[in-house]
Amino acid sequence: MQFENTLVFAQQMDAKDPLRSYRDEFHFPKVKGKEVIYFTGNSLGLQPKRTQKFVDSVMTDWKELAVEGHFQGEKPWWDYHERLAAPLARVVGAKTREVTVMNTLTVNLHLLMVSFYRPTQKRYKIICEEKAFPSDQYMLQSQLRFHGLDPKEALIEIKKREGEHFWRTEDILAKIEEVGDALALVLIGGVNYYNGQVLAMESITKAGKSAGAVVGWDLAHAAGNVHLDLHKWDVDFASWCSYKYMNSGPGNASGVFINERHLNNKDLPRFEGWWGTKKETRFLMKPEFEPMDSADAWQISNVPVLSVAPYLASLELFDEVGMEALIAKRKILTAYLEFVLHAIDAEVDSSFEIITPEERGCQLSVFLHGEGRALFDYLMENGVITDWREPNVIRLAPAPFYCSFEDMYRFGQILKQGILGD
Ligand SMILES: *Cc1c(COP(=O)(O)O)cnc(C)c1O
């Protein structure tokens, strides 16, 4: 498609956008009385307007039913999380019973490591990406130390090549093969938080499994953003947070995928609690643990309903729109943003280097050569919400649910003014 860096063109694109009405489903913060241009849906998605109603309904049940709310009311609390499994399974390409919602992401990765990282004398190494999200690094290092292993020796980080900003799939596959018999686990971020790269999840999973390892994915930046087919790819486990592209609110409950193959494996260790036992007999308060026949067996505590309610509201939106339509808009919107960046680049002295490779989702990470923190401050003061990573990278994520083509055009104009001066 032939793009143009004009307001008229951007507005025409919006008029043709089948998802345009969804912008109005979200609350936008305001700066100087104007709705912001929001590029940080990769960090905290905007609040859907319908979320309030879901939360209020829990508050009302609590007020009016108190403890009876566990079993009465429109959405009883005791199995509230089960309502999320089917729509969430559609987002990540799983069977309903392979998905559950619980805890938060790093906590879930720790719990999943209990089941899926079982080091032996020979097979104990973990492969991850270099400079993984800090929480994942701390999680992996502490897990290794917990098992009496030295992270320096047991944690293998896949490097980018000298002078390159992205990982090459062939390098990852070669490393998996090289570690071979010593490889216990591959655990990588499916979409990298820094450069926005989408990793070749299917082929990496396949390679990890042929090496005899377990393969898990951290999908924090992938869920609700890119195509996922976890069951078909034969991924062992995965987890993601719900507050980035999934718009469920700060620090909110996390999603978990556990391949159906593992669900009834009695040899798999697991940390257990009463919400993982069979519903039918849970309240008989028996000493024996009888696992649910689904990923729910990994549930430990009773459901944090007030934090799961916003996730359910958000999933209703995902179900209405579908990942396919979201991905179609995301591709063209991100391409338009890229075009606008190049167009502005040609008009100013600075130069923008997009370090996100072709294999990308929503996010473009941009080096602003010749510019500094003052430009970022200018953007924020003028209603462009983005984030800054040293030395001078901004991450722009035009979430397709609520960002418009006009936003991209207007961003370009503000960027230009910030460089040239008003
Ligand atoms: C956002 C993010 C996290 C956050 O973890 P929490 O436990 O939800 O605080 C972890 N890992 C990655 C890769 C992330 O992008």
Side-chain angles (χ1 to χ4, degrees):
M1 175 179 296
Q2 201 65 35
F3 289 140
E4 292 168 33
N5 185 27
T6 65
L7 180 59
V8 172
F9 177 82
Q11 287 173 338
Q12 280 167 357
M13 291 298 285
D14 283 328
K16 281 189 290 194
D17 169 18
L19 303 192
R20 67 185 174 280
S21 65
Y22 280 91
R23 183 180 177 85
D24 195 41
E25 289 276 351
F26 291 85
H27 290 292
F28 280 75
K30 288 189 175 150
V31 168
K32 296 181 188 161
K34 272 175 61 182
E35 285 187 353
V36 298
I37 299 170
Y38 198 71
F39 279 125
T40 42
N42 57 348
S43 183
L44 181 73
L46 291 181
Q47 182 184 131
K49 289 180 181 166
R50 66 180 72 179
T51 300
Q52 182 87 46
K53 192 178 70 191
F54 281 69
V55 175
D56 284 350
S57 145
V58 178
M59 294 299 282
T60 304
D61 282 351
W62 179 21
K63 183 166 75 183
E64 294 176 356
L65 302 170
V67 73
E68 297 299 314
H70 280 297
F71 300 104
Q72 291 174 18
E74 193 201 338
K75 297 187 184 84
W77 304 329
W78 79 305
D79 58 3
Y80 197 99
H81 57 296
E82 289 182 14
R83 297 176 179 82
L84 287 86
L88 197 47
R90 287 189 274 276
V91 171
V92 299
K95 295 192 178 177
T96 301
R97 63 195 285 258
E98 293 175 316
V99 169
T100 192
V101 171
M102 59 191 201
N103 314 307
T104 44
L105 173 55
T106 311
V107 171
N108 283 336
L109 290 174
H110 273 298
L111 292 172
L112 290 163
M113 292 285 281
V114 168
S115 298
F116 296 105
Y117 178 58
R118 308 292 303 151
T120 62
Q121 281 287 32
K122 186 167 165 220
R123 205 181 263 287
Y124 61 93
K125 293 193 179 179
I126 300 177
I127 283 186
C128 69
E129 73 278 40
E130 73 171 339
K131 298 206 179 110
F133 192 85
S135 200
D136 298 41
Q137 294 187 44
Y138 309 146
M139 188 277 297
L140 289 168
Q141 291 164 11
S142 61
Q143 280 283 338
L144 285 164
R145 285 195 301 268
F146 173 75
H147 285 282
L149 294 161
D150 178 3
K152 282 202 194 66
E153 203 258 325
L155 191 58
I156 316 264
E157 298 188 352
I158 313 256
K159 306 258 181 282
K160 303 185 199 90
R161 291 188 190 179
E162 192 67 35
E164 292 186 347
H165 295 296
F166 60 95
W167 288 270
R168 290 176 181 255
T169 304
E170 70 249 44
D171 292 353
I172 302 176
L173 301 185
K175 185 57 85 179
I176 288 173
E177 205 178 317
E178 181 193 316
V179 181
D181 283 355
L183 184 61
L185 174 68
V186 178
L187 180 53
I188 303 181
V191 175
N192 184 257
Y193 81 98
Y194 185 79
N195 71 355
Q197 178 176 2
V198 181
L199 277 96
M201 287 178 262
E202 184 171 14
S203 50
I204 294 169
T205 301
K206 199 160 162 228
K209 310 209 63 153
S210 358
V214 172
V215 180
W217 291 97
D218 178 333
L219 300 177
H221 280 259
N225 175 19
V226 301
H227 172 71
L228 295 170
D229 219 341
L230 301 181
H231 180 82
K232 189 167 138 243
W233 297 343
D234 202 25
V235 168
D236 289 298
F237 70 92
S239 190
W240 54 92
C241 47
S242 62
Y243 47 81
K244 292 175 178 167
Y245 293 103
M246 301 219 63
N247 311 321
S248 300
N252 231 332
S254 153
V256 166
F257 165 88
I258 296 164
N259 194 299
E260 162 171 84
R261 261 183 307 109
H262 299 301
L263 293 181
N264 293 308
N265 179 358
K266 293 203 170 50
D267 298 330
L268 215 56
R270 175 173 55 208
F271 285 171
E272 296 172 339
W274 68 327
W275 241 248
T277 57
K278 285 233 152 69
K279 279 165 82 169
E280 297 75 19
T281 51
R282 183 173 304 152
F283 298 104
L284 300 180
M285 305 300 200
K286 297 187 305 180
E288 307 84 32
F289 182 88
E290 284 182 87
M292 293 280 291
D293 190 25
S294 65
D296 286 340
W298 273 257
Q299 288 275 346
I300 295 178
S301 293
N302 78 95
V303 189
V305 181
L306 281 166
S307 108
V308 175
Y311 204 175
L312 186 59
S314 163
L315 283 167
E316 196 178 89
L317 282 163
F318 273 88
D319 242 8
E320 265 176 49
V321 172
M323 280 311 294
E324 217 172 303
L326 270 176
I327 288 170
K329 175 169 175 191
R330 184 259 287 158
K331 283 186 178 161
I332 182 157
L333 189 62
T334 311
Y336 186 56
L337 172 61
E338 183 179 26
F339 172 83
V340 168
L341 279 165
H342 288 316
I344 301 298
D345 195 347
E347 295 177 32
V348 298
D349 277 342
S350 325
S351 86
F352 312 140
E353 181 191 356
I354 298 176
I355 59 170
T356 305
E358 284 292 299
E359 302 77 30
R360 69 189 186 197
C362 199
Q363 172 182 328
L364 295 182
S365 304
V366 189
F367 251 114
L368 300 171
H369 295 294
E371 297 297 332
R373 177 94 199 180
L375 177 60
F376 169 73
D377 293 338
Y378 180 90
L379 293 173
M380 294 292 279
E381 280 159 22
N382 287 279
V384 177
I385 309 299
T386 169
D387 70 9
W388 180 264
R389 288 283 179 272
E390 295 295 335
N392 51 357
V393 169
I394 56 172
R395 299 187 306 164
L396 305 168
F401 247 129
Y402 46 75
C403 290
S404 66
F405 291 86
E406 185 170 333
D407 284 341
M408 303 305 112
Y409 170 76
R410 291 198 185 280
F411 159 68
Q413 296 304 302
I414 296 169
L415 180 66
K416 186 164 94 178
Q417 261 164 34
I419 293 170
L420 297 180
D422 287 303

